[in-house]
Amino acid sequence: MTAPVPGLEPAFEVDARLGPLEDHGVTRAGHRRVVPVAGGRISGLFDAEILPGGADWQIVRPDGAVEIDTRYSARTAAGEYVHFRTSGVRSGPPEVLEALLRGEPVDPSQYYFRVAVHLETSAPRLAILEQSIFVASAIREANAVRYTAYRVT
């Protein structure tokens, strides 16, 4: 017997609005930046509003790549909460990463931005969110991050 070969099925879209980047400088963990999550929308497998109050606690590595570590919450129209935690990396040529930092539009094919999406919820109808693995390819815009999350089959 062999294990099934995983596939990807589109699950939901995330459009997260961001606050201004806070540059904390070089700490014992590395060059720390914090980007507040100010709101946004989820649509697809479930629909929800992203609540303000989350953030992306980034580490900028010596090679310029950015380690992504986000936590934020969303609420459905029925009042169900979904907790998001993503981890991943954004990397690319230095000039492309600098353009993104300045808020300039950059073709997403010019950089690598992938995250694993971990979800928690107490809503029984959304149990599949806790019983599946999700990965995403993301786009960084001046004041937003957008991504499509895929359920690994």
Side-chain angles (χ1 to χ4, degrees):
M1 293 175 48
T2 60
V5 175
L8 298 176
E9 61 185 30
F12 53 88
E13 302 276 334
V14 172
D15 186 355
R17 290 189 322 276
L18 306 175
L21 180 141
E22 304 165 3
D23 192 329
H24 291 224
V26 178
T27 71
R28 64 186 170 108
H31 184 171
R32 173 70 66 190
R33 299 190 313 202
V34 178
V35 181
V37 175
R41 297 284 313 152
I42 316 286
S43 58
L45 185 60
F46 68 103
D47 296 328
E49 174 188 1
I50 297 173
L51 303 173
D56 179 7
W57 290 270
Q58 303 176 345
I59 294 291
V60 182
R61 298 190 314 220
D63 66 359
V66 179
E67 294 180 9
I68 304 298
D69 176 15
T70 67
R71 286 172 176 70
Y72 54 95
S73 295
R75 183 176 53 227
T76 69
E80 303 153 316
Y81 289 96
V82 179
H83 174 73
F84 283 71
R85 181 173 51 89
T86 72
S87 57
V89 66
R90 186 171 65 235
S91 60
E95 61 277 7
V96 169
L97 296 177
E98 290 165 12
L100 287 171
L101 186 59
R102 290 189 301 268
E104 297 172 11
V106 176
D107 182 335
S109 69
Q110 300 300 307
Y111 59 96
Y112 182 90
F113 189 4
R114 305 292 187 273
V115 294
V117 183
H118 309 273
L119 303 169
E120 294 177 29
T121 185
S122 62
R125 77 174 183 94
L126 299 175
I128 192 170
L129 300 178
E130 294 189 325
Q131 299 166 354
S132 300
I133 292 175
F134 298 92
V135 295
S137 179
I139 298 170
R140 179 64 157 100
E141 297 174 340
N143 297 310
V145 165
R146 293 186 301 114
Y147 64 82
T148 300
Y150 297 87
R151 180 177 172 272
V152 180
T153 61

